[in-house]
């Protein structure tokens, strides 16, 4: 039976009023949550203990981040993959992706177990099939992995690393692929989870230590937890509609951080959803996994 965690159990970690908050990643070294506000071009760091926030202006839409083993961050930017040095604030474009396709931008991204960074693209107007999924190797070479894609979003891998999960949002579900860790090859695509359109559009996701998937629902007021076989286990209700992504953080990785968006809400909805664009924190009794880092 599906369990429900009511919105009253959810805390506001930061009323960020993000236009499109996205891409949460826990940085255990600094005890900070790194996340982005895509249309505002900002990479943020939130130290939940003190409430301290530090922000970096990437100068263009920035849609996903991952920690880099060598220090700093790898970014998914409108123009492609970027490398950010935290100490100097120096941002370099490591590899251009669809830079000439000005109607497109990059979207969600995640590192795999061998330290490659995967991120896909989408049309700004969400035109079907205009995007693709890419993989940045540790040699800083880019490979196109999958096309066409409409709104490339959440990425995650199973605990045994033999299955990759992928969300193309406008297909209303989560797909699974057979996955070969060494080569990064994907195949045998199939539908794992279908989300009814009235329940929202699947967006970002993460996998916990038990191998269950946590899927953020845009316009769905919720994050859902699914078993690896696709069975719905838990609905975490949230006090705003546009839920974008989630990641585990905190000292023991038992805090689920959830990003959200305020952009595009009508005036009445903004009034009714004062926490739109906030970072939420939920204690679910489940532990997450440390984020995989970019090894390039
Ligand atoms: Ca997203």
């Amino acid at each position: 039976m599906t369990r429900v965690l009511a919105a009253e159990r959810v805390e506001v970690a930061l009323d960020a009023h993000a236009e499109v908050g996205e891409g949460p990643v826990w940085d255990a070294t600094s005890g900070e949550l790194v996340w982005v506000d895509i249309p505002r071009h900002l990479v943020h760091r939130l130290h939940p203990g003190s409430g301290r926030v530090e922000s970096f202006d990437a100068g263009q839409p920035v849609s996903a981040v991952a920690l880099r083993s060598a220090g700093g961050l790898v970014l998914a930017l409108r123009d492609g993959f970027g490398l950010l040095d935290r100490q100097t604030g120096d941002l370099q474009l490591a590899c251009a992706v669809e830079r000439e396709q000005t109607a497109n931008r990059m979207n969600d991204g995640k590192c795999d177990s061998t330290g490659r960074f995967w991120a896909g693209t989408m049309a700004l107007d969400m035109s079907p099939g205009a995007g693709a999924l890419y993989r940045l190797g540790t040699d800083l070479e880019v490979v196109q992995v999958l096309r066409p894609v409409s709104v490339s979003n959440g990425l995650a891998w199973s605990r045994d690393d033999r299955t990759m999960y992928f969300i193309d949002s406008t297909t209303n579900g989560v797909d699974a692929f057979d996955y070969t860790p060494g080569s990064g090859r994907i195949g045998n695509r199939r539908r794992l989870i279908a989300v009814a359109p009235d329940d929202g559009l699947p967006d970002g996701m993460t996998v916990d230590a038990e191998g269950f998937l946590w899927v953020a629902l845009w316009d769905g007021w919720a994050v859902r937890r699914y078993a690896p076989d696709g069975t719905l286990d838990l609905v975490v209700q949230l006090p705003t509609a546009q839920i974008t992504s989630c990641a585990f953080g905190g000292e023991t990785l038992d805090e689920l951080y959830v990003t959200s968006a305020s952009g595009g809400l009508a005036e009445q909805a903004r009034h009714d959803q004062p926490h739109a664009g906030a970072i939420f924190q939920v204690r679910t009794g489940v532990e997450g996994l440390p984020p995989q880092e970019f090894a390039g």
Side-chain angles (χ1 to χ4, degrees):
M1 212 178 89
T2 303
R3 301 172 292 141
V4 176
L5 203 105
E8 292 72 41
R9 292 275 304 276
V10 173
E11 287 177 38
V12 175
L14 179 71
D15 250 329
H17 304 292
E19 197 169 337
V20 183
E22 264 287 0
V25 178
W26 183 254
D27 184 346
T29 307
S30 59
E32 293 171 321
L33 185 78
V34 187
W35 56 283
V36 297
D37 191 338
I38 302 174
R40 289 189 181 139
H41 309 172
L42 294 172
V43 180
H44 298 288
R45 284 177 171 272
L46 164 66
H47 187 269
S50 65
R52 185 184 70 238
V53 176
E54 188 184 300
S55 303
F56 172 82
D57 188 341
Q60 58 175 290
V62 53
S63 54
V65 297
L67 308 176
R68 193 178 175 203
S69 312
L73 301 171
V74 58
L75 310 179
L77 297 162
R78 181 196 54 208
D79 289 347
F81 291 104
L83 296 173
L84 174 63
D85 184 319
R86 190 185 179 187
Q87 309 306 343
T88 63
D90 181 49
L91 175 60
Q92 299 282 347
L93 188 69
C95 203
V97 176
E98 298 183 5
R99 187 154 48 166
E100 281 69 47
Q101 291 172 249
T102 52
N104 280 15
R105 68 160 170 82
M106 295 201 90
N107 203 33
D108 207 346
K110 193 78 67 73
C111 280
D112 67 27
S113 61
T114 67
R116 296 168 296 221
F117 184 53
W118 299 57
T121 57
M122 59 177 279
L124 296 169
D125 66 359
M126 293 172 66
S127 292
L133 178 63
Y134 298 88
R135 189 178 69 215
L136 178 68
T138 55
D139 55 2
L140 304 185
E141 294 290 320
V142 170
V143 176
Q144 188 183 78
V145 185
L146 183 69
R147 70 179 293 273
V149 172
S150 296
V151 179
S152 191
N153 248 317
L155 285 156
W157 285 265
S158 62
R159 287 308 319 270
D160 68 2
D161 219 14
R162 291 288 164 183
T163 304
M164 187 178 94
Y165 305 116
F166 175 63
I167 292 172
D168 184 347
S169 290
T170 49
T171 69
N172 302 100
V174 181
D175 285 346
F177 292 82
D178 292 347
Y179 177 69
T180 310
S183 63
R185 184 189 299 260
I186 56 173
N188 186 26
R189 182 178 189 167
R190 65 266 183 198
R191 177 56 38 111
L192 179 69
I193 296 163
V195 177
D198 284 352
D199 291 338
L201 274 188
D203 197 331
M205 72 176 147
T206 192
V207 163
D208 65 32
E210 296 169 13
F212 284 52
L213 294 85
W214 298 76
V215 179
L217 295 178
W218 175 272
D219 262 341
W221 303 79
V223 169
R224 288 179 169 187
R225 184 183 194 236
Y226 293 92
D229 68 1
T231 310
L232 179 60
D233 169 62
L234 171 71
V235 177
V236 178
Q237 296 176 339
L238 291 151
T240 188
Q242 297 177 157
I243 303 304
T244 55
S245 191
C246 55
F248 285 91
E251 224 163 274
T252 56
L253 293 174
D254 65 343
E255 298 159 3
L256 185 72
Y257 287 92
V258 180
T259 51
S260 68
S262 64
L265 286 180
E267 202 179 320
Q268 185 60 44
R270 272 177 197 270
H271 180 264
D272 295 342
Q273 299 174 45
H275 298 306
I279 308 289
F280 301 98
Q281 186 201 67
V282 195
R283 287 180 193 277
T284 64
V286 176
E287 286 182 14
L289 298 164
Q292 287 159 345
E293 300 185 353
F294 181 58

